[in-house]
Amino acid sequence: SQTIHQWPATLVQPVGSPLSLECTVEGTSNPNLYWYRQAAGRGLQLLFYSVGIGQISSEVPQNLSASRPQDRQFILSSKKLLLSDSGFYLCAWSALAGGYNEQFFGPGTRLTVL
Amino acid sequence: GQNIDQPTEMTATEGAIVQINCTYQTSGFNGLFWYQQHAGEAPTFLSYNVLDGLEEKGRFSSFLSRSKGYSYLLLKELQMKDSASYLCAVMDSNYQLIWGAGTKLIIKP
C-alpha cells in the first residue's frame, strides 16, 4: 500500500530564516506530487505541483520554491521566511495518469513564523 | 475565474441528517470530490462524482448536477466524530483540483 510522509510535524521559525520541508511517498512510482498551504479556517491553496523529477509548476508567485530531486521526494524551501508564510503545509500525491485523480495527503506541517 | 462556494459553518444534532451544499464555476469539469478534514489533520477522501446522480457510501451520500454546477454531501445518523470540516473540490480541464474553503460542521448532542 501507498504511504506519504512529511516532516517535521510542527515548526516555529523566526522571520528571515530559511525553510526546508520534506515529503516522501512509498509504494507507488511516478506520482504527481503537490504542495498546498492552508491558512487558519481557509481552503487549500495549491503552491506547487510536479509530474516528474525536476519538473515543477508554480501556481502562486512568492518567496517559496520546490524541488523534486527523486521520483518520490518533494521538498518545499524558502531562503527567507515572511510572517505571511505561517500556515498548515500539506503534501499530496496522485496517480500520474489523467482522469480520475484522487489526491492522498500527508499528515502536514504546521509552520509558525514569528 | 474559477469559484467554489460552500457554507462556512453548519450545526446539526447527533442522530440527525445534514446536507452540505457546494456550487461551482470552473474551467472545464472532470469530477467533483468531497473530503473530510478534522481539526489539525490532513483531509481524507470521502467521495467522487463525475456523472449526474447520487453516489451512496454507508452513512454518506454525494449528489451531482453538472447542468446546475451543484453538488451536496448528505450525512445520515450523525455521530459526534462527524464534527469536522468538509471540503468540496472540482477537477478542472487541466486535471487540477480547485478547492472550496470548506464547511465546518458542528454536531451537538
Side-chain angles (χ1 to χ4, degrees):
Chain A
S1 64
Q2 300 87 6
T3 56
I4 178 168
H5 304 279
Q6 275 186 255
W7 63 92
T10 59
L11 193 59
V12 180
Q13 292 284 96
V15 169
S17 63
L19 173 74
S20 181
L21 302 180
E22 188 163 344
C23 169
T24 59
V25 181
E26 296 177 356
T28 185
S29 297
N30 301 319
N32 284 334
L33 295 173
Y34 307 83
W35 277 112
Y36 288 94
R37 177 170 61 202
Q38 186 177 35
R42 304 287 296 274
L44 299 177
Q45 179 188 31
L46 180 63
L47 301 175
F48 301 95
Y49 70 94
S50 172
V51 299
I53 296 174
Q55 300 178 62
I56 309 294
S57 296
S58 174
E59 293 295 307
V60 183
Q62 55 206 336
N63 67 319
L64 300 173
S65 61
S67 62
R68 184 170 178 174
Q70 300 180 44
D71 180 46
R72 289 170 287 177
Q73 183 184 30
F74 205 22
I75 298 172
L76 182 70
S77 304
S78 175
K79 292 182 179 178
K80 287 186 177 181
L81 284 169
L82 307 173
L83 285 174
S84 57
D85 291 325
S86 293
F88 191 40
Y89 287 81
L90 290 158
C91 180
W93 76 272
S94 66
L96 184 58
Y100 175 46
N101 216 8
E102 174 191 346
Q103 293 184 12
F104 301 89
F105 288 85
T109 296
R110 188 160 303 282
L111 172 66
T112 303
V113 182
L114 300 175
Chain B
Q2 309 203 87
N3 195 48
I4 311 282
D5 285 317
Q6 307 177 234
T8 302
E9 187 174 296
M10 300 182 69
T11 302
T13 304
E14 189 176 15
I17 298 173
V18 70
Q19 178 176 309
I20 302 174
N21 295 326
C22 171
T23 57
Y24 62 89
Q25 290 180 309
T26 56
S27 302
F29 180 84
N30 281 301
L32 185 143
F33 295 78
W34 284 98
Y35 280 77
Q36 180 189 60
Q37 185 178 25
H38 285 100
E41 299 181 7
T44 55
F45 171 77
L46 288 178
S47 68
Y48 170 74
N49 294 69
V50 68
L51 299 177
D52 289 351
L54 188 68
E55 295 279 343
E56 297 186 78
K57 192 185 292 186
R59 293 190 299 114
F60 293 5
S61 302
S62 57
F63 171 83
L64 175 67
S65 169
R66 288 171 296 173
S67 63
K68 295 182 179 179
Y70 167 71
S71 172
Y72 68 72
L73 181 68
L74 191 71
L75 292 75
K76 303 176 184 176
E77 301 170 15
L78 286 170
Q79 302 175 10
M80 298 304 293
K81 67 178 181 180
D82 297 329
S83 292
S85 289
Y86 292 85
L87 309 178
C88 174
V90 173
M91 183 167 286
D92 68 11
S93 56
N94 295 318
Y95 295 99
Q96 296 298 337
L97 281 179
I98 311 300
W99 294 84
T103 298
K104 182 178 180 181
L105 178 63
I106 300 169
I107 309 297
K108 296 185 175 180

